[in-house]
Amino acid sequence: MDLTLQIEPARVCNLNCSICMRPNITGSQNRVLSLENFQKICDSAVSSKMFRYVGLHGWGEPLLNEQLFDMIKYAEAGGLSTNLTTNGRLVGERMEEIFASGLQQIAFGVYDLKLLKKIMPIVMELLKRRDRHGLKIPKIYLDITIYRENLHQIQDFLRIAHELGTDAVILHRLFNVYNINPSIKYITSDEETKLFEEVKRMAQNSAIEIYLPSKHCYPCKVVRCSIFVTVDGEVTPCCFLPEYRLANALEMSLAEVIASASYSNFISKMAKGAICGSCRW
């Protein structure tokens, strides 16, 4: 079984994005995960023999954790393949650490064309240095959140990604089930169908690799394929449920969590849950 262990390195951020739910999460704000606790969680993942990947992201900017690349080195040394999602603002300051760490993938999370244009020089420099040194990693992606306000920008995102020479583009739906910002809406199903058809045509014409979100089902792909550990070590079935506690990974092994009655109970009832029942991510 090749699951992804999602770990939150930081619950502090250098941006205040309108689509982010971080300000509305109770507790654990302005915190970073310690290297020691990260190592305990990774050791639990390795010993379970269930996990192959570690995704470093959450409700903060991972690069604000000074020990981030020590974490990546530790995970890679343990046989876990690492990927990182970042807003990109601090990548220029830590570029050498990125290449020295063994990081396999880095995704630049963007949702607005203006934000993308601000980090374009950083993405270009990262690609240039990787190619100049003849390296194959990290793979470099744009991770784009789709919502109503940027629907007209998606083709521009893809065009820029192609011009930059990124390895792929990941598109995913807006998550706003909590209705944190009522003015931020997702597109209609008809608009999504039309958009995805256009995106597929662009992918064929430009030969750029694009990952589209899959059709939602229960249990959803996120829960089937991963588990999320917060900056405090709390284990939850999904990063969009940061306050739903199954156990603490510093007190219980991940294998025990996944085998627990509370986890099985969550899976069996998620379609009727207040959040999961309304989610189409």
Side-chain angles (χ1 to χ4, degrees):
M1 185 183 298
D2 289 338
L3 299 178
T4 296
L5 173 61
Q6 302 178 46
I7 303 181
E8 182 178 46
R11 183 75 65 81
V12 59
C13 197
N14 50 349
L15 293 181
N16 187 25
C17 296
S18 61
I19 66 171
C20 182
M21 57 185 265
R22 179 179 55 85
N24 297 80
I25 303 173
T26 59
S28 301
Q29 298 293 357
N30 302 318
R31 296 280 303 275
V32 296
L33 181 68
S34 71
L35 177 60
E36 180 183 2
N37 285 346
F38 178 87
Q39 290 171 335
K40 289 179 182 177
I41 298 165
C42 268
D43 290 346
S44 179
V46 171
S47 63
S48 75
K49 294 182 170 53
M50 292 178 169
F51 296 90
R52 176 68 184 87
Y53 309 97
V54 172
L56 294 151
H57 67 92
W59 301 107
E61 170 49 51
L63 286 165
L64 288 171
N65 189 320
E66 291 296 324
Q67 296 180 305
L68 177 67
F69 293 104
D70 291 325
M71 295 176 179
I72 291 170
K73 288 177 182 177
Y74 189 85
E76 289 287 341
L80 298 170
S81 180
T82 55
N83 64 74
L84 166 68
T85 302
T86 174
N87 62 38
R89 297 300 181 92
L90 301 174
V91 166
E93 300 172 18
R94 308 191 68 179
M95 205 167 287
E96 293 307 319
E97 291 177 274
I98 290 173
F99 291 116
S101 66
L103 178 68
Q104 297 292 313
Q105 302 170 342
I106 182 168
F108 290 85
V110 289
Y111 66 99
D112 182 86
L113 210 52
K114 292 179 181 177
L115 293 175
L116 173 58
K117 288 179 178 178
K118 286 184 178 179
I119 63 168
M120 276 175 60
I122 296 171
V123 179
M124 289 174 65
E125 180 61 22
L126 188 66
L127 284 158
K128 192 181 298 182
R129 289 200 197 185
R130 185 192 67 180
D131 295 344
R132 187 167 61 233
H133 293 301
L135 302 174
K136 295 183 177 180
I137 59 170
K139 297 294 185 184
I140 298 169
Y141 308 139
L142 292 189
D143 188 325
I144 302 164
T145 301
I146 306 165
Y147 71 121
R148 176 155 302 284
E149 283 77 1
N150 74 359
L151 177 59
H152 65 288
Q153 298 179 340
I154 300 301
Q155 293 189 25
D156 289 327
F157 277 119
L158 300 182
R159 176 181 53 78
I160 291 171
H162 177 63
E163 292 172 355
L164 287 171
T166 56
D167 295 296
V169 174
I170 303 164
L171 294 176
H172 63 256
R173 302 178 180 99
L174 171 76
F175 181 89
N176 197 29
V177 174
Y178 294 105
N179 203 30
I180 292 164
N181 188 338
S183 66
I184 303 295
K185 302 285 187 182
Y186 188 58
I187 59 179
T188 67
S189 58
D190 287 343
E191 287 172 325
E192 181 184 270
T193 299
K194 182 179 178 181
L195 173 64
F196 289 177
E197 288 173 352
E198 292 173 352
V199 165
K200 289 174 184 176
R201 281 196 295 270
M202 287 191 71
Q204 289 176 343
N205 293 334
S206 63
I208 188 169
E209 191 169 4
I210 298 177
Y211 296 96
L212 293 172
S214 58
K215 184 178 180 181
H216 191 78
C217 62
Y218 294 101
C220 73
K221 183 178 180 181
V222 174
V223 173
R224 289 199 315 271
C225 299
S226 65
I227 201 161
F228 183 69
V229 181
T230 73
V231 71
D232 290 325
E234 300 293 346
V235 184
T236 176
C238 173
C239 65
F240 293 119
L241 296 169
E243 297 173 1
Y244 187 100
R245 185 184 190 275
L246 289 169
N248 192 288
L250 304 175
E251 301 167 357
M252 180 184 287
S253 74
L254 293 173
E256 290 174 319
V257 175
I258 291 174
S260 68
S262 58
Y263 185 70
S264 298
N265 186 55
F266 171 84
I267 296 291
S268 65
K269 296 181 178 179
M270 67 181 298
K272 297 179 181 179
I275 300 300
C276 294
S278 303
C279 178
R280 294 295 176 268
W281 197 85

